[in-house]
Amino acid sequence: PEAQYSLVLFYIIGRGVAEDNVEAVKWCRLAANQGHAGAQSMLGEFYENGRGVAQDNGEAARWYRLSANQGNAEARTALA
């Protein structure tokens, strides 16, 4: 999942690839579904902001909770 998460970051900033939020979400979801806390938190951000996916606060909260349960501080802050 770490390599998948790295691809997310590349697609967000366009490093070596064209910027593409939809592609970033695709890779983020793959890493998140494998339990990567950073990817889970980022997927929450994608849903919260409607970036690459339809905006959905419930789905955002679900991913933030999964990440926060693993100790991710950013996810905990997002849920506060």
Side-chain angles (χ1 to χ4, degrees):
E2 197 63 44
Q4 292 165 337
Y5 185 63
S6 293
L7 283 173
V8 174
L9 303 176
F10 292 161
Y11 277 108
I12 288 172
I13 63 171
R15 183 174 179 193
V17 295
E19 286 184 38
D20 187 337
N21 288 329
V22 173
E23 195 68 16
V25 168
K26 173 185 135 182
W27 289 104
C28 195
R29 187 179 316 281
L30 287 170
N33 282 331
Q34 293 176 67
H36 190 285
Q40 290 169 337
S41 182
M42 184 161 294
L43 196 51
E45 288 182 45
F46 283 132
Y47 276 105
E48 181 179 11
N49 298 312
R51 188 173 175 189
V53 292
Q55 196 274 336
D56 185 333
N57 287 332
E59 193 67 7
R62 181 174 88 83
W63 287 107
Y64 283 140
R65 273 193 298 279
L66 287 169
S67 182
N69 288 342
Q70 294 190 69
N72 185 285
E74 290 177 13
R76 287 182 178 170
T77 299
L79 287 169

